[in-house]
Amino acid sequence: MSGSIQVVGIGPGDLAHLTPAARHTLEDVDVIVGYITYLRLIADIAPDTPRESGGMRQEVKRVKQAVELAQNGQRVAVISSGDAGVYGMAGLVYEVLKEQAINDIEVTVVPGITALSSAAALLGAPLMTDFAVISLSDQLTPRQDVLRRVELATAADLVLCLYNPKGKQRTKPFTLTCEIIAQHRAPSTPVGIVRAASRSGQRVSLTTLAALPDTDIDMLTIVIVGNSHTMAHNDKMITPRGYGEKYQLGETHDTRTDN
Ligand code: SAH
């Protein structure tokens, strides 16, 4: 009899940001499969439940192992940081099952708080209007496609959320991305940088587009570049949604409702 696979987003790090549904799922399954760093983040949850880990670039191997365990009747949780459906494991689980023509394993995706949401909260309110999320990793997506997405999203004045901005060896896409954005946006455009959101070593900083190329950035960082309306105020990054155009935000009473 086949078991099941639940693909669980564990949130950005701190267990306070793990949803009750995700916690319940992890407490309920027979085995938890995940990258060792993420298994450490949930070490206190269901400590007696067996874990299966693997290295950083072994996602395919991990998913195949999860499928095998499920075929043997186990209820398996496959974990991702943040949300499992945002640059996470959910897609790969479905793809492997499709390729292996396995249709009798029930798959459920349990959502989590993404790095994007945690970073935005720490920075203030940078995502109040339309934004684009782009991963700068050119490992699975050709570099020219990544850069074209950056170009079009920048030209459309979308706030930009850059995942996987820079690796130890992989620095070129980030450098080129900074150059592309600089062609469209003012050097003073606010940029928020969040490293290790809700994990030990969390770092939050606000800088400008002009300073971005020289900022200390690694793979555990997410970068949010403001649009032409984004402002920095009291160390917070705020993208107005447009209320200020319609209402008198500086008045103590809402004159519209008074009328
Ligand atoms: N599924 C995750 C994304 C995983 S991709 C999500 O929903 O957020 C890995 C990238 O996510 C990292 O390179 C980094 O850009 C970002 N990231 C993940 N966790 C983070 C955290 N705690 N703080 C800042 N960025 C994070």
Side-chain angles (χ1 to χ4, degrees):
M1 200 202 95
S2 279
S4 60
I5 298 179
Q6 311 227 47
V7 201
V8 181
I10 63 166
D14 192 322
L15 294 185
H17 292 175
L18 178 87
T19 70
R23 178 183 283 271
H24 181 260
T25 302
L26 295 173
E27 286 168 346
D28 196 44
V29 294
D30 301 314
V31 54
I32 302 174
V33 177
Y35 173 42
I36 184 71
T37 304
Y38 304 150
L39 288 176
R40 283 198 193 110
L41 293 173
I42 55 154
D44 293 341
I45 296 175
D48 298 331
T49 302
R51 265 65 168 162
E52 294 290 345
S53 67
M56 178 77 176
R57 302 245 164 81
Q58 304 197 306
E59 293 94 342
V60 174
K61 196 171 144 206
R62 271 202 299 277
V63 167
K64 287 184 174 171
Q65 187 181 19
V67 168
E68 233 171 79
L69 288 164
Q71 283 187 303
N72 290 334
Q74 305 246 55
R75 290 167 310 143
V76 186
V78 175
I79 60 169
S80 274
S81 76
D83 186 296
V86 177
Y87 306 121
M89 299 294 272
L92 188 54
V93 168
Y94 283 116
E95 280 185 75
V96 166
L97 290 174
K98 176 176 176 286
E99 288 307 311
Q100 296 189 359
I102 297 171
N103 298 305
D104 58 348
I105 294 176
E106 191 194 339
V107 180
T108 317
V109 181
V110 183
I113 295 180
T114 65
L116 175 70
S117 305
S118 348
L122 289 165
L123 289 165
L127 306 180
M128 287 301 105
T129 182
D130 303 337
F131 59 93
V133 183
I134 302 174
S135 165
L136 297 191
S137 172
D138 56 0
Q139 231 139 35
L140 299 173
T141 306
R143 185 180 297 178
Q144 69 267 25
D145 292 0
V146 172
L147 297 176
R148 183 169 152 73
R149 289 168 197 178
V150 170
E151 168 88 48
L152 294 174
T154 308
D157 203 27
L158 296 166
V159 174
L160 306 173
C161 304
L162 306 175
Y163 271 78
N164 301 298
K166 215 176 185 181
K168 278 201 187 81
Q169 315 295 331
R170 186 180 50 78
T171 58
K172 196 79 183 154
F174 181 73
T175 309
L176 295 170
T177 291
C178 291
E179 287 172 15
I180 293 169
I181 302 172
Q183 287 164 12
H184 298 266
R185 296 197 188 170
S188 59
T189 302
V191 176
I193 296 172
V194 177
R195 184 180 188 278
S198 106
R199 295 190 201 175
S200 69
Q202 172 179 295
R203 241 176 26 222
V204 182
S205 61
L206 205 53
T207 184
T208 60
L209 186 56
L212 183 59
D214 303 317
T215 313
D216 187 19
I217 281 167
D218 65 8
M219 274 298 277
L220 232 193
T221 307
I222 187 162
V223 177
I224 301 187
V225 181
N227 69 8
S228 60
H229 300 287
T230 304
M231 52 200 181
H233 179 67
N234 288 342
D235 279 337
K236 295 292 176 194
M237 184 174 176
I238 307 153
T239 305
R241 183 155 180 213
Y243 290 107
E245 307 288 315
K246 284 190 93 171
Y247 303 94
Q248 300 287 326
L249 299 185
E251 307 271 318
T252 47
H253 293 287
D254 185 340
T255 43
R256 195 185 59 103
T257 48
D258 279 350
N259 287 336

